[in-house]
Amino acid sequence: MKTSVCIIGGGPSGLMLSQLLHLKGIDTVVLERQSREYVLGRIRAGVLEHGFAELMREAQCGERMDREGEIHEGFFIAHDGRMDRVDLHKYSGGSSVVVYGQTELTRDLYDARDRMKGIVIHNAEDVQPHELTSKTPYVTYRKGDEIVRIDCDYVIGADGFHGVSRKAIPKNVLREYEKVYPFGWLGVLSRTKPVSPELIYARHERGFALCSLRSQVLSRYYIQVPLSDKVEDWSDEAFWAELKRRLPAEVGARMITGASIEKSIAPLRSFVAEPMRWGNLFLAGDAAHIVPPTGARGLNSAASDIYYLYHAMVAHYQRGDDSGLEGYSAKALARVWKAQRFSWWMTMLLHTFPDSIEYDRKLQDTDLAYLFSSEAAQRSLAENYVGLPF
Ligand code: APR
Ligand code: PHB
């Protein structure tokens, strides 16, 4: 097989890039290790920054998002028994975020790829990029007994944190920066009316909690748990009781509970790999960086990678201009690190750390007190939460 751009990974990053390039007449093939059912069965976060929503529209995939997604102009931080609201709209110069499940967004991207007869190969095993520093790189994969070779100009590594692409960069070239947090988030999805029309991030001495939603009939809640906890340790009843304890009493009192339809524990990690380009391999999204979910930056960090790569590829194929490809790694990393900083800050501000000393807790108190006493601090939070410009 032959294509211009071979994309490894059929998550939001790979699909979005494939769709955008297709609309500009640039040929792609997407290789995905899992089945489509598996990819669409994963429950992921649900907040899209303004810039990502714009990219969905540019990719001609924004119709259902605009119809079913909710625009949120603020959220709450609950602490010390009270709720303070962050006015995103006011402090970001009129911007907002869209609450729309990443699973739904992935479905929309697959539908668009199907409509345009894009090539997405599922259940591709043993995917491996080759000859990445030559002018003629290629990717191989196995389907049953057959080995298939795809010749291409460029390879995109959009295969998430556990993918093969990053591993193809030699150890003496690749630098990895990692911070693992000493807790995870236990998440529950339930078919219940959300306790609040806007998200509530709660800081509590028993641990962090988050009230989020997918729609007005589908709620998503999280609580901070020790890494040693297993999902089986948490009955629905125990989860709801603990969630309520960490929220202001009046919020807990009006919480509608119900059976969980999904329950899982995710560890919290910050991670960046540098550089994001090696020869003709370009990393994008979770393959190159991970943030803890506290600032809702996961997908949004991927968005700027896709935006830069998209424009760089179009400049290359349409105008023979390679400056975007040359500058990709440095440009992408500059924004990636800002999302890292913000996610780390939100995580440090709102979680209870097992090894923290009283001094640390005093600083957390002061950070929160400063935030809600300073317009400048709220402006900084708002501009990061709605997404820094690409
Ligand atoms: N070969 C082919 N595909 C692979 C391989 C492989 N060796 N390894 C992983 N994949 C696939 C995974 O099955 C997955 O569908 O690559 C895809 C990567 O998708 P994501 O993990 O969703 O990563 P990305 O598309 O960058 O999306 C980033 O997803 O994890 C969230 O918080 C994150 O919101 C962010 C978003
Ligand atoms: C979610 O709805 O899953 C969600 C929302 C906001 C976050 C993290 C997760 O910061």
Side-chain angles (χ1 to χ4, degrees):
M1 239 196 273
K2 226 175 156 32
T3 190
S4 302
V5 182
C6 183
I7 299 174
I8 305 178
S13 301
L15 294 171
M16 172 69 99
L17 184 63
S18 166
Q19 176 68 7
L20 287 166
L21 293 180
H22 181 116
L23 292 171
K24 296 287 181 188
I26 300 166
D27 213 35
T28 66
V29 169
V30 176
L31 292 175
E32 167 58 52
R33 181 169 56 182
Q34 306 286 356
S35 68
R36 187 173 295 202
E37 295 69 40
Y38 181 93
V39 173
L40 291 176
R42 294 189 293 223
I43 304 290
R44 295 277 181 81
V47 174
L48 310 181
E49 69 181 34
H50 178 75
F52 193 92
E54 279 297 307
L55 220 46
M56 282 292 282
R57 295 180 191 114
E58 181 157 356
Q60 297 180 10
C61 296
E63 205 183 301
R64 194 160 69 100
M65 172 191 78
D66 282 330
R67 202 170 54 241
E68 296 177 13
E70 286 183 17
I71 296 196
H72 283 219
E73 296 186 341
F75 64 83
F76 293 96
I77 294 184
H79 62 102
D80 306 298
R82 52 187 278 218
M83 300 252 277
D84 280 313
R85 183 167 185 267
V86 178
D87 191 332
L88 293 174
H89 188 76
K90 176 172 170 191
Y91 290 121
S92 70
S95 197
S96 54
V97 294
V98 181
V99 169
Y100 187 62
Q102 195 177 303
T103 309
E104 299 311 310
L105 174 146
T106 308
R107 186 183 302 279
D108 296 342
L109 287 165
Y110 272 127
D111 287 349
R113 294 287 50 226
D114 288 349
R115 248 187 350 258
M116 295 180 185
K117 311 222 177 323
I119 303 177
V120 180
I121 297 164
H122 282 278
N123 305 308
E125 293 176 72
D126 302 338
V127 173
Q128 193 59 52
H130 305 269
E131 306 280 338
L132 291 166
T133 52
S134 83
K135 281 204 166 69
T136 50
Y138 63 96
V139 180
T140 52
Y141 71 95
R142 187 170 61 77
K143 202 151 197 176
D145 292 335
E146 194 195 356
I147 304 281
V148 183
R149 170 176 167 149
I150 304 176
D151 290 300
C152 55
D153 302 330
Y154 298 107
V155 178
I156 307 296
D159 47 354
F161 183 66
H162 299 287
V164 288
S165 304
R166 188 177 69 250
K167 298 189 183 99
I169 302 179
K171 285 214 162 38
N172 62 348
V173 175
L174 189 69
R175 262 208 85 174
E176 298 186 332
Y177 302 83
E178 183 171 42
K179 183 177 174 72
V180 177
Y181 299 85
F183 41 73
W185 279 16
L186 168 65
V188 159
L189 190 68
S190 71
R191 231 176 278 290
T192 50
K193 184 176 159 56
V195 71
S196 161
E198 291 185 339
L199 273 67
I200 304 173
Y201 291 83
R203 171 173 178 255
H204 192 277
E205 60 198 11
R206 297 182 63 91
F208 169 80
L210 171 60
C211 306
S212 182
L213 61 151
R214 293 288 174 276
S215 72
Q216 286 309 313
V217 290
L218 198 56
S219 298
R220 181 70 167 162
Y221 296 107
Y222 298 94
I223 55 173
Q224 172 187 348
V225 293
L227 280 174
S228 50
D229 279 17
K230 303 266 168 293
V231 178
E232 305 79 69
D233 302 338
W234 285 91
S235 65
D236 287 359
E237 293 70 33
F239 176 84
W240 293 118
E242 185 58 31
L243 175 64
K244 285 182 187 180
R245 264 187 224 124
R246 298 182 186 187
L247 297 167
E250 53 94 13
V251 179
R254 63 183 150 88
M255 168 91 60
I256 298 173
T257 63
S260 63
I261 49 180
E262 196 263 359
K263 196 190 279 167
S264 52
I265 296 182
L268 269 71
R269 181 200 307 269
S270 296
F271 172 83
V272 181
E274 295 187 351
M276 286 174 62
R277 174 200 186 170
W278 186 63
N280 288 317
L281 169 72
F282 294 83
L283 300 181
D286 276 20
H289 42 78
I290 300 279
V291 284
T294 327
R297 291 306 67 206
L299 185 55
N300 301 298
S301 285
S304 49
D305 298 350
I306 299 309
Y307 179 89
Y308 298 141
L309 271 179
Y310 162 50
H311 287 281
M313 290 289 173
V314 170
H316 168 80
Y317 283 105
Q318 293 187 347
R319 305 191 293 278
D321 171 2
D322 281 353
S323 58
L325 292 175
E326 299 298 338
Y328 170 69
S329 182
K331 197 168 177 180
L333 282 166
R335 190 172 185 274
V336 160
W337 274 108
K338 288 178 193 152
Q340 292 279 325
R341 185 203 69 81
F342 177 67
S343 305
W344 163 83
W345 174 76
M346 283 276 280
T347 303
M348 300 303 284
L349 179 70
L350 298 171
H351 288 78
T352 298
F353 285 76
D355 57 351
S356 77
I357 55 174
E358 236 175 304
Y359 180 87
D360 300 326
R361 290 193 287 277
K362 274 284 185 193
L363 277 190
Q364 268 185 332
D365 290 343
T366 309
D367 213 345
L368 270 174
Y370 168 62
L371 176 63
F372 290 109
S373 67
S374 160
E375 287 204 356
Q378 286 167 68
R379 206 175 293 285
S380 168
L381 168 51
E383 80 162 349
N384 278 280
Y385 194 91
V386 302
L388 295 171
F390 290 163

